[in-house]
Amino acid sequence: MTSKPRSSRKTTRSINPMWGGRFAAGPDRLMEKINASIAFDKRLYRQDITASKAHCAMLVGQKIIARKDGAAIAAGLDRVLEEIERDRFVFKTELEDIHLNVEARLAELIGPAAGRLHTARSRNDQVATDVRLWVRDAIDATDAALRDLQRALIEKAERHAATVMPGFTHLQPAQPVTLGHHFLAYVEMIGRDRGRFADARRRLNECPLGAAALAGTSFPIDRRRTAAALGFDRPAANSLDAVSDRDFALEFLSASAIAAVHLSRLAEELVLWCTPQFGFVGLPDSFTTGSSIMPQKKNPDAAELVRGKTGRVLGALLGLLTVIKGLPLTYSKDMQEDKEPVFDAADTIAIAIAAMTGMVSALTVDAARLRAAADVGFVTATDLADWLVRVLAMPFRKAHHVTGTLVRLAEERGVDLARLPLAEMQRVEPGITRDVFRVLTVERAVASRVSEGGTAPVRVRAACRRARRRFL
């Protein structure tokens, strides 16, 4: 005799009191497990209680519930908040989510008056509001962290405004730049990241409360009062959109993903620059680890982890896009899957930014090694070509060809361009004079890049001052 599948056995689980009289039996254990979100959405407790207090105050103001009941609800919610923050609150899986857990405890504390709190709202507009509030807080925290990283980069850029290094294309030496200029490139990237977060914040700052389940409510509520109390710019304009929209979460994840990619690029450079082959910078012991078998190792693990954690943030964005892509209006239980990727991405980007800020602040620079690397790879070749155009009025394409010939000649001689004899240069192009050697030193090449946004130290110092005004 075969046993029945577990899913067909009768359950003895209790009925969720919040579901009302529609259900005669409680959920199967498996249903309870897949349905419950309290394990992760309890992170919304502060936002949930804040929104509930605003909703309660509005109900009292509109004379939808009695002032006495409103006062009891508000006091009870404060008590629930205190219990949670002091780790004295018992979260119950059978109550599914943070909303029902808070409401059930409120009922234990103040009795039947707690049941009036849910007047003119649904868990649909409730959760949409809570998550918006949480994401808004996460954006503010992320922006502050990114500003700190910009500050660390600007301080390093000011210190190394004249520290010469090779600039790369294709990871091959290209033209000489300054380390300060290089750091300021990341300041600009992060500035765009902050702009994306700010844009997302502006768009999300509409309040879903009052949309109820999907169609609004017949109670004479004041949605503008609730929105203002919660710091929103306005109520969401359409009740269907209000409960089903998760664009704000996607935009947060998108901005986080791009920011994580920028952090990963900087992390990759730190990993390369810490190698003996580059030797441009060093990281302190506090941001490195050793090896269990090789005593000499000092691994840039913090940078590697920043680089690796980028995948989690990118995955969170793709995961939520996939959840949302096929959902009809309005709310579907699929949307429960919005929280974990948002929470994980926020946690991941926060620790990655903090780690990068710490590494940038603490890294040491080997200026001599950077300067020596700038002498490798004929990085002043473009300056030679520009000199031919400027002094000899040569078309650039011809100047490019002449310079390429001289580079090949210098390579064959085993010298850089500045040490190639003038007579040999003149055999390639008779018009070249001794004046050409003035542009072939790395320092002169860097100093000559005075165009706006260029790498000349005078430009870098001015850019640092502007960056402080723009971003800090």
Side-chain angles (χ1 to χ4, degrees):
M1 181 176 178
T2 58
S3 61
K4 292 181 180 180
R6 180 181 297 271
S7 60
S8 68
R9 295 173 183 167
K10 290 185 178 180
T11 179
T12 58
R13 306 298 287 170
S14 61
I15 302 171
N16 187 319
M18 303 298 173
W19 288 357
R22 174 65 178 85
F23 290 81
D28 186 274
R29 288 183 182 275
L30 181 57
M31 179 60 191
E32 183 179 285
K33 187 173 183 179
I34 195 174
N35 191 49
S37 59
I38 189 60
F40 50 86
D41 72 14
K42 61 186 177 184
R43 291 183 65 163
L44 297 172
Y45 75 88
R46 178 173 289 280
Q47 290 76 19
D48 191 69
I49 291 172
T50 299
S52 288
K53 290 181 69 174
H55 182 68
C56 177
M58 181 276 296
L59 292 176
V60 171
Q62 294 300 107
K63 296 182 170 52
I64 297 172
I65 67 173
R67 187 172 300 276
K68 181 176 74 171
D69 288 339
I73 290 169
L77 288 171
D78 286 339
R79 173 79 178 275
V80 173
L81 178 62
E82 181 182 12
E83 288 181 357
I84 294 174
E85 292 190 332
R86 292 190 176 185
D87 201 23
R88 295 176 180 172
F89 189 93
V90 179
F91 292 101
K92 299 177 181 178
T93 303
E94 62 268 22
L95 292 177
E96 297 184 26
D97 56 32
I98 185 62
H99 323 297
L100 298 188
N101 269 266
V102 169
E103 188 173 338
R105 178 58 179 151
L106 183 64
E108 292 174 354
L109 291 171
I110 70 170
R116 302 190 185 280
L117 175 60
H118 209 54
T119 306
R121 77 174 183 185
S122 161
R123 280 194 295 174
N124 293 355
D125 62 340
Q126 190 178 359
V127 70
T129 303
D130 291 356
V131 179
R132 278 180 189 255
L133 289 171
W134 195 95
V135 169
R136 191 175 70 184
D137 291 343
I139 286 174
D140 293 344
T142 304
D143 180 75
L146 288 172
R147 184 178 63 245
D148 289 343
L149 177 53
Q150 284 182 303
R151 180 179 290 106
L153 287 163
I154 291 168
E155 288 172 357
K156 274 291 190 289
E158 288 172 331
R159 195 171 307 159
H160 294 284
T163 301
V164 175
M165 66 173 289
F168 298 92
T169 62
H170 308 276
L171 205 56
Q172 300 294 318
Q175 291 180 293
V177 297
T178 67
L179 181 59
H181 194 54
H182 195 103
F183 282 139
L184 286 179
Y186 285 100
V187 172
E188 293 299 319
M189 291 185 207
I190 295 164
R192 293 193 294 274
D193 292 327
R194 292 179 65 190
R196 276 182 281 271
F197 282 114
D199 288 344
R201 193 188 195 283
R202 279 191 290 271
R203 272 186 291 276
L204 76 73
N205 211 35
E206 297 182 346
C207 185
L209 269 181
L214 73 161
T217 178
S218 59
F219 288 95
I221 62 173
D222 184 348
R223 293 191 64 209
R224 293 192 176 275
R225 173 174 176 166
T226 310
L230 294 172
F232 288 110
D233 294 331
R234 64 191 70 84
N238 182 283
S239 62
L240 300 173
D241 180 58
V243 298
S244 62
D245 168 46
R246 293 299 183 271
D247 288 359
F248 64 91
L250 292 171
E251 285 198 60
F252 171 71
L253 292 177
S254 177
S256 297
I258 297 171
V261 167
H262 290 155
L263 294 174
S264 184
R265 294 182 72 180
L266 179 52
E268 169 69 3
E269 294 204 303
L270 293 184
V271 170
L272 288 173
W273 291 358
C274 284
T275 62
Q277 290 75 17
F278 277 83
F280 291 173
V281 301
L283 290 174
D285 293 350
S286 53
F287 288 100
T288 57
T289 65
S291 165
S292 64
I293 190 173
M294 295 170 284
Q296 83 282 10
K297 295 296 293 295
K298 188 176 181 180
N299 301 320
D301 281 11
E304 292 172 4
L305 286 166
V306 168
R307 187 177 60 186
K309 286 180 181 295
T310 299
R312 293 177 65 152
V313 183
L314 303 184
L317 172 60
L318 182 58
L320 186 54
L321 282 168
T322 306
V323 168
I324 298 298
K325 72 172 183 64
L327 296 186
L329 294 178
T330 55
Y331 182 82
S332 295
K333 196 69 172 183
D334 312 49
M335 290 183 182
Q336 184 168 291
E337 296 300 311
D338 64 350
K339 298 168 195 64
E340 288 183 285
V342 167
F343 294 158
D344 186 70
D347 292 344
T348 301
I349 199 74
I351 196 168
I353 296 169
M356 186 56 70
T357 303
M359 284 186 285
V360 169
S361 299
L363 66 83
T364 56
V365 173
D366 190 334
R369 187 69 177 258
L370 285 162
R371 176 62 184 82
D375 279 333
V376 176
F378 308 103
V379 294
T380 58
T382 306
D383 299 272
L384 173 55
D386 289 347
W387 185 90
L388 294 171
V389 171
R390 188 171 57 250
V391 177
L392 302 185
M394 188 179 291
F396 183 79
R397 285 302 171 198
K398 182 179 179 182
H400 187 284
H401 178 77
V402 169
T403 301
T405 302
L406 292 172
V407 167
R408 186 175 69 249
L409 183 61
E411 190 173 42
E412 290 171 354
R413 299 288 189 276
V415 298
D416 60 30
L417 288 170
R419 290 182 173 81
L420 194 63
L422 177 62
E424 295 198 32
M425 288 188 178
Q426 290 173 334
R427 277 196 286 272
V428 175
E429 171 49 56
I432 295 176
T433 66
R434 186 168 298 280
D435 184 61
V436 74
F437 292 102
R438 297 181 59 190
V439 303
L440 295 183
T441 66
V442 168
E443 284 73 19
R444 285 183 179 272
V446 168
S448 72
R449 298 298 196 275
V450 293
S451 58
E452 187 171 354
T455 193
V458 64
R459 281 293 189 181
V460 172
R461 293 186 181 98
C464 287
R465 292 192 293 271
R466 284 195 303 273
R468 283 190 175 276
R469 291 194 298 269
R470 288 166 60 199
F471 299 123
L472 304 184

